[in-house]
Amino acid sequence: MQLREFLKSEEIKSPSGVYLIYGEENYFIDQLSKALKELHNATVLWGDEVTIRDLLLNINSGTLLHKRPVFLVRHAQETLFKDKKALLKAS
């Protein structure tokens, strides 16, 4: 799906599941990140500062009074997902 289509879709208003967003154009990634932060008060995590275990703990830490939290993991492809053993063990 193209960025413009996604930003206009209903899916961005009530995200579900996990979305992997990657590419060489940082501008588009920044635009999507900005939209998600504004709409859902998303928390930004950095791939070189968080482990798979920490990420899963954050994802599963929703509260009773609020909808599920939205997390953006920046630069996950460079560090976080390189540890394939930890990724497989965590899933």
Side-chain angles (χ1 to χ4, degrees):
M1 178 181 290
Q2 296 293 322
L3 177 63
R4 288 185 186 145
E5 294 170 5
F6 186 72
L7 291 175
K8 292 178 182 178
S9 73
E10 290 296 314
E11 194 167 344
I12 195 169
K13 295 176 183 161
S14 59
S16 61
V18 175
Y19 303 97
L20 296 177
I21 303 161
Y22 60 92
E24 295 179 13
E25 291 291 334
N26 286 328
Y27 172 79
F28 295 119
I29 293 171
D30 291 340
Q31 292 299 309
L32 181 56
S33 298
K34 181 180 174 183
L36 287 171
K37 285 193 283 185
E38 289 174 2
L39 286 170
H40 303 291
N41 195 26
T43 301
V44 178
L45 303 170
W46 293 90
D48 59 345
E49 297 174 357
V50 67
T51 65
I52 294 290
R53 184 174 183 276
D54 293 337
L55 178 60
L56 292 174
L57 287 172
N58 278 310
I59 290 171
N60 292 322
S61 67
T63 64
L64 296 174
L65 302 175
H66 299 286
K67 57 186 176 181
R68 292 190 72 171
V70 175
F71 295 95
L72 302 171
V73 181
R74 302 294 306 257
H75 302 283
Q77 74 279 7
E78 295 173 8
T79 55
L80 184 64
F81 295 136
K82 282 191 176 183
D83 188 359
K84 293 177 182 164
K85 288 181 183 178
L87 184 60
L88 292 173
K89 186 177 178 181
S91 59

